[in-house]
Every structure is written in structure tokens, then in C-alpha cells.
Amino acid sequence: MSEPRTPAQVLREARQKDSRDKRARVLSVVDQLIADGEPVTFTGVARAANVSHWLVYADGMREHIEAARHRQGRAAAGSARAGAREPAGWKLEKQLLRDDNRRLREEVERLKGAVRRHLGQQLDQFGAADLGTRVDELTAENQRLQVERDNALTQVKQLNEQLSETQDDLVGARESLRHMIRAENR
């Protein structure tokens, strides 16, 4: 049978497991970014892996990320050379696709703006009709609450006066009791 572990050992093992898990997440994110063709950056890896910036710059992690960045740089340079050898038709096709994408993005933004304006007009129309009624309701509720507050303050004042009178009576009764006890003891 093994010896029982101390709390320090348990904590150390938990931290080591957590560190291994985080490092594995970093390596996995780097591999995923490379596979997706996304640029590998220290900040991007830290965010995607949900780890601290310190960890991505730590020994072992930094080298792996720098190697991935170096591989991406070589691949980009190779594709730039390959792009120079592309047929003229492909370059024209790429330019046409870029123009179409730009035009479609502009149209999407224009349509989003139109929808926002239309919804704003609908809200304005709805709000204007019921606004007067709602203001009247809130004013009446405010007045009712003010009356309740004033009544409560009046009641508090009356109760404070009664408490003061009762305390005065109590002080008088205690004083009278003291006199009676002294008179009895003599």
C-alpha cells in the first residue's frame, strides 16, 4: 500500500496536470491555425488557447510557435512565387471576385442600415402613441408613493413622540420606585 499524499503533493500534482493541459492546448491551437491557414501570432495563440501571454513565451512553447511562424513565412513566399506564374485569366478572375465581394459587402451594409432605420421608425411610432399614457401612469404612481411616504413619516413622528413620553414615564416610575425603596429601608 502506498503512503498517503500530503496536501502539498496533491497541489503540486494538480498544478503539473494543469500546466500539461495548457501546454497541450497551445500546441493544438498552433497546429489548428496552421491547418486553417491562419497567421500564427503569440497573442492569437494565447487568446485561442485561453492561456496567459507568459505561457506562449515560455521555453518550449516559444520555439514551437516561432517554428510555425517560420514555416508559414516560407509557405507565403512560395505561394507568392507561384502567384507570379499564374495564368492571366486567374488574375482577372481573382480581381473580379474581389470586386464582387466588395460590392456585396457594401450592399449588405446598406441593407442593414435600411433595416435599422425601418425598425427605429416602427419603435418611434409605437412609442409616441403610448408615451403620454405611460407618463400619466407614472405620474399618478409617483404621487401615490409620495402620499404614502408622507403618511409613513407622520406615523414615525407620532411613534417617536409616544416613545419619548413612555421613556419619560419610565424614568419617573423608576425614580419613584427608588424613593419608595429608600423610605422602606429607613
Side-chain angles (χ1 to χ4, degrees):
M1 195 161 134
S2 65
E3 295 181 26
R5 298 182 312 176
T6 65
Q9 290 171 328
V10 172
L11 275 174
R12 188 178 318 108
E13 290 170 7
R15 290 297 303 145
Q16 288 171 348
K17 180 186 179 301
D18 186 46
S19 178
R20 283 191 308 270
D21 292 346
K22 286 180 179 180
R23 287 174 181 267
R25 277 200 321 254
V26 167
L27 296 176
S28 173
V29 164
V30 169
D31 293 340
Q32 186 64 41
L33 288 173
I34 290 172
D36 292 344
E38 297 290 325
V40 177
T41 63
F42 287 97
T43 301
V45 170
R47 282 188 187 144
N50 196 21
V51 297
S52 68
H53 287 278
W54 175 87
L55 181 62
V56 296
Y57 286 105
D59 289 338
M61 297 291 101
R62 180 181 60 240
E63 290 82 8
H64 190 76
I65 293 171
E66 286 174 346
R69 293 178 67 173
H70 185 68
R71 284 193 309 266
Q72 277 188 334
R74 282 195 322 245
S79 66
R81 283 191 301 269
R85 289 180 258 140
E86 291 177 350
W90 286 7
K91 289 181 181 178
L92 178 61
E93 189 68 28
K94 280 184 182 179
Q95 185 59 40
L96 290 174
L97 287 174
R98 284 188 191 113
D99 292 343
D100 281 346
N101 283 343
R102 184 184 42 75
R103 184 184 51 79
L104 289 172
R105 282 190 199 103
E106 290 171 355
E107 185 175 352
V108 165
E109 289 303 317
R110 184 183 55 78
L111 291 173
K112 280 183 183 178
V115 168
R116 284 187 195 113
R117 284 190 300 277
H118 183 67
L119 285 174
Q121 289 171 350
Q122 286 179 345
L123 287 174
D124 287 344
Q125 290 171 356
F126 175 75
D130 295 330
L131 190 58
T133 305
R134 184 67 179 144
V135 167
D136 292 341
E137 289 173 0
L138 290 173
T139 302
E141 180 71 13
N142 187 22
Q143 289 174 348
R144 184 186 64 78
L145 290 172
Q146 286 176 351
V147 168
E148 284 182 18
R149 184 206 60 206
D150 292 343
N151 290 341
L153 287 174
T154 302
Q155 188 177 8
V156 165
K157 185 177 177 184
Q158 291 172 350
L159 290 173
N160 279 334
E161 289 173 359
Q162 288 177 359
L163 178 63
S164 177
E165 289 176 15
T166 304
Q167 286 175 339
D168 290 344
D169 290 345
L170 180 63
V171 168
R174 284 181 180 160
E175 189 65 34
S176 174
L177 184 60
R178 278 192 208 111
H179 287 297
M180 285 176 51
I181 291 173
R182 281 189 206 137
E184 259 324 293
N185 287 337
R186 286 187 196 155

